[in-house]
Every structure is written in structure tokens, then in C-alpha cells.
Amino acid sequence: MSKLPDGFLWGGAVAAHQLEGAWKEGGKGISVADVMTKGAHGVPREITDGVIEGENYPNHEAIDFYHRYKEDIQLFAEMGFKCFRTSIAWSRIFPDGDETEPNEEGLKFYDNLFDECLKYGIEPVITLSHFEMPYHLVTEYGGFRNRKLIDFFEKFARVCFERYKDKVTYWMTFNEINNQANFHDDFAPFTNSGIKYEEGENREKIMYQAAHYELVASARAVTIGQEINPDFQIGCMIAMCPIYPSTSHPKDILKAQKAMQKRYYFTDIHVHGEYPGHMTRYFERKKFNLDITEEDLEVLRKGTVDYIGLSYYMSFAISHNESDETYDYNESKDLVRNEYIETSDWGWAIDPEGLRYALNWFTDMYHLPLFIVENGLGAVDEFDDDGRIRDDYRINYLRTHIEQMIKAVDEDGVDLMGYTPWGCIDLVSASTGEMKKRYGFIYVDKDNDDNGTLERHRKDSFYWFKEVIASNGENL
Ligand code: P53
């Protein structure tokens, strides 16, 4: 007897910009992902001013899913997927983001894609905004610095809900909205919010303002979606990296708690519909004077989510700083290495127990169903002499995480909807733009220098995951 509920949503997750390619086809506009070059571990991707001739933009072709989705979905069906998480590329539907009418060719592509999933009984699980807003909204409006973006997002959401109301039940609004808690780096503010900072700007204040507009946009979308189809399940999506105190020093404990508040207050607003006291006090202390209206607060109260979607890859650890009595969190400076934990080739801490901890933490805080919509190991894969990819390191990572997930459900009573490992087919890495950082059960023949046939091959983990799904998590 499986310890997971019947109907548990096993599947895989991707995002449009990381696999579709066809960046200029079907009337698609340029997105923020289309102006990011390739980086590497420790080498950030560059955000260029528009698309510059001669630069390497890995998302332009990606793995050409736009033309190959039928073959790929057939492979997902062969693994027994119950669901498939992807996003709708905003710039396929509204190429510039501010048009009055949507692009029919873009809408049609997702009709075909969802029909193809449904043909095999695979539920689409859809993120509306996954690091791919139309680039025009950045150049013309400054991204989510601008309140107008709320209306543009709302319109996009409404068009998608209306068009796909009979095909899609599970939705999420903004992918990993809380990544931008790391506003000191350029990556998250740009991918989350379309924000490029000028020298000398108050980055933190701008981030909180943008996040506020996104939270309002999300809440409006939730309310509209529930009206369009009351059966919709609309969630938020949070990047969960639990932050542990590095020692039992009370100041480390407090520092970790304050850091958790800063990284996860987004969830409080999505779920409870209001700002927690520690955030309103913080804004006052910092004299941010944000544009938050009474009407916004009403919208937030109304548009609370049905479930929490989360990604889980790693945990963090933190120490207090004797010279700073405020406990204010600086994600790019304050984190320390956790000596009990191994890291991946890209430096991400591998911590299966952290997943159980995270599921319990969310449950204690919010009492809502959870959906693990990303988890996985980015690793280098190589064919052996028999033409096989023996990715036991990936199987080990997933097995140990699934074990902890099952304990959270079975022993701790966590209400869990499903599990969709990230990058079920190899795709372009978000943080580095590399192909080499692979997550898939399905290998795609393409390297970091754009060589390869784009052919698909089943890895050992493909057959393993198929058995995991078939046994509903019994045979790991
Ligand atoms: P890559 C940072 C921390 C946790 C998750 O990441 C993150 C990031 C940003 O990269 O992103 C999510 O490809 C994101 C996906 C992304 C995946 O994790 O950098 O939702 O788009 O591909 C894995 O290895």
C-alpha cells in the first residue's frame, strides 16, 4: 500500500523560455530571457541592451520544444506522468505586453500543447509568469517598478484563464516570486520583475515596491480566475531554501528567523492576504514610503491562493554579525557554508531532510495544501561505452528527497498534491544559461557551444522514475 494518496500528481516541470526556443516564431515578442547571455558556475549571465548581433543567447533555440513537443510529451507519457508543469510564454500571447488584443498564433500553440497532454491523460500545471515577461515592458515601463504592469499582467492572466478554462485546472501566478529577496545581485530582480538597476539606486526599496505590485497582480488574477472557473486551483510559487542558524547561539537563531521572515513574507501575503507586522515595521524603520493603497490591501485580502507551489533544491545556513544589531538580511553576504552538507558541482547544498523540514514549516505556517513543483540535481551527464547514461547520482538525489517527502506526508500529515521534478527533459539552466547543467530523465543532444543534433535519449533515471510513478512511490 502506497503511503501517498491516490491521485497524487507525479510529473515533471519546465518553463517555456528554457525549452521552447523558436524565440521569433509564431508572432512571439522578445522576452527578458532573450536578452540574457550564457554564463557558467561563478560567471553571471549578462543582461544586454536588447538582442545584440554575435552574442550567445541560449534561450533563443533552447531544445526546440516548440517544434518537438509531440515527441517529448510522448516520452513523458511513457514515464507515466500524471501532470506536466510548464509556463505560458507571456510574449507569445502579448508580444510587447501592452497590446489590446492577444496574438492568436501564440494562443493556438498552447491549445495544441495542452491537447497533446490531455490526449495521454496528463494534466497541464501552468505558471503564468516564469522569468519571461515581454522585454518591451522593461524598456518602455521599467518592468514591475511601474504600477501599470499590474494591468498588463491581469489582462494576460484573464486571456489565459478564459481561453484554457476547460483544459487547465492547476495554475500558479509568479514563479519563485521571492527570489528577488536577493536584490543585491542583478539576476533575480531582472528575471522576477524586469528590473535593471541604475547606479546609486535604493535597490531594496525598488524591490519591495515591485514585489508589492506583483502581489497585487497575483491577487487580482486569483480573484478573476475563481470567477471564470470555480474549479480552478490557483497557487503561488515560492523558492524554498530553508535558512538554518549555523549554531545554537541565540543570536544565530534570531538571525535565521529574521532571514526567513524576509525570504518568505511573500507567502504570508499570498496566503493570508496581508502584510505581516515585521514587514510593515521594517518599511517604517527604513522610511521606504511605498505606494501601497487601501484598494491594494483590499485586493490582497480577497485574492488569496488555494495552494502553495514550491521549489526545493537546497538549504542555506546563516550566522549573526556582531557589528550589526539589526539582524537585517543580506542574502549575497550573510550565508555561510553548512559543514554537515555536501554540495553539487554548482555549489548547491544537497539536503534531503531539508525538504521534510520545509514541508512541515509551510504546513505549520499556512495550513494549505502544498505542491512540490521543482526539485532536482543539476549535473554533468556522459554516455558510457554502451551508449547509456548511468545517472545514479541523480537517482540518489531524487530517491533521498522522495523518501523525506513521503515521511512528511505519512508521518507528519502534510497535505501534498504532487511532485514534479525540475527539468524532466534537459533544458537551458536559468542561473547559468548552460546546457551542461542537466536535470533531465531525458537527455538532449546539445552542448554549451550549441553543438548537437537535439536528439532525445532516455537516461537510466527515466526507467527508474517510471517505476516510482507506477508504484506511487513504493519502489524507490
Ligand atoms: P538552474 C535560484 C535558486 C533556486 C531556484 O535552476 C532557482 C534559482 C534561479 O536559478 O530557480 C529555479 O537552472 C527556477 C527554474 C530553474 C531551476 O530553479 O539555475 O524556477 O527556472 O531552472 C534550476 O540550475
Side-chain angles (χ1 to χ4, degrees), residues 18 130 175-176 313-314 348 374 422 429-431 437 439:
Q18 289 172 263
H130 192 136
N175 185 64
E176 295 190 333
Y313 293 90
M314 60 189 145
W348 290 17
E374 289 184 31
W422 175 251
S429 155
S431 59
K437 191 180 186 191
Y439 288 86

Side-chain angles (χ1 to χ4, degrees), residues 14-15 17-18 85 130-131 175-176 179 187-188 191 237 239-241 263 311-314 316 331 346 348 373-378 422-423 427-434 437-439:
V14 300
H17 72 285
Q18 289 172 263
R85 173 180 180 235
H130 192 136
F131 306 171
N175 185 64
E176 295 190 333
N179 269 356
F187 176 81
T191 53
M237 197 313 201
M240 171 39 93
C241 309
R263 227 187 119 80
S311 65
Y312 177 82
Y313 293 90
M314 60 189 145
F316 294 159
E331 187 159 313
W346 275 263
W348 290 17
V373 295
E374 289 184 31
N375 174 231
L377 177 71
W422 175 251
L427 38 62
V428 177
S429 155
S431 59
T432 72
E434 293 171 288
K437 191 180 186 191
R438 297 174 185 274
Y439 288 86

Side-chain angles (χ1 to χ4, degrees), residues 64 76 78 155 163 192 203 222 248 274 332 354 369 376 385 394 398 418:
D64 195 34
F76 301 153
E78 188 184 325
K155 181 153 200 185
R163 177 79 171 216
N192 273 152
R203 285 181 165 239
V222 170
S248 53
E274 59 186 21
S332 45
D385 293 343
R394 179 168 297 107
L398 294 171

Side-chain angles (χ1 to χ4, degrees), residues 294-311:
E294 277 308 314
E295 198 195 332
D296 291 347
L297 297 177
E298 192 48 42
V299 170
L300 293 178
R301 273 193 287 277
K302 220 170 133 203
T304 54
V305 294
D306 299 312
Y307 69 95
I308 299 170
L310 64 122
S311 65

